[in-house]
Amino acid sequence: MDIQIVKIENPNHLNLILGQSHFIKTVEDMHEAIVSTVPGARFGLAFCEASDVCLVRYSGTEPELVDLARKNAYALAAGHCFIVFMKDMYPVNVLNTVKNLPEVCRIFCATANPVEVVIGETEQGRGILE
């Protein structure tokens, strides 16, 4: 197994949530959950698929945050991971909502601190190591 460290690019020290999910509809469900929980929420999110062509799906309400989430998702390139960047809100505002989505398996971190992610890669693919 190859082990790599991927630094999350977060130049403005925004709050973020990094987690794992199992369903391609994660982006749509998470977007809806966040805007339903925090009216006027300013965020961007991206999710790495783990099968077929392994697309990165993304959405949000702030184009620059969507771009940042998408850029970090491509850097991680780890199946089933998602990342959400938030502006003018905190993870605590949406964390329970996100955790309660049926497709969310786990939350790795929710922070504005610098984040490095340990990635394991085998012939089968890439994943986040805990």
Side-chain angles (χ1 to χ4, degrees), residues 13-43:
H13 307 287
L14 298 167
N15 278 288
L16 67 91
I17 300 171
L18 176 66
Q20 182 181 32
S21 180
H22 70 88
F23 188 55
I24 62 171
K25 198 168 171 284
T26 295
V27 168
E28 292 86 353
D29 291 349
M30 197 170 298
H31 182 114
E32 183 178 324
I34 291 171
V35 298
S36 296
T37 304
V38 178
R42 298 171 68 191
F43 69 98

Side-chain angles (χ1 to χ4, degrees), residues 17-93:
I17 300 171
L18 176 66
Q20 182 181 32
S21 180
H22 70 88
F23 188 55
I24 62 171
K25 198 168 171 284
T26 295
V27 168
E28 292 86 353
D29 291 349
M30 197 170 298
H31 182 114
E32 183 178 324
I34 291 171
V35 298
S36 296
T37 304
V38 178
R42 298 171 68 191
F43 69 98
L45 73 104
F47 168 72
C48 297
E49 291 183 358
S51 58
D52 197 25
V53 295
C54 297
L55 299 174
V56 171
R57 297 179 184 267
Y58 50 90
S59 185
T61 59
E62 294 283 320
E64 69 274 3
L65 300 182
V66 173
D67 289 344
L68 184 61
R70 189 175 68 208
K71 183 177 185 177
N72 279 284
Y74 279 113
L76 290 167
H80 294 298
C81 75
F82 67 84
I83 190 162
V84 182
F85 285 95
M86 296 163 272
K87 188 183 252 182
D88 300 330
M89 56 189 272
Y90 299 97
V92 71
N93 299 128

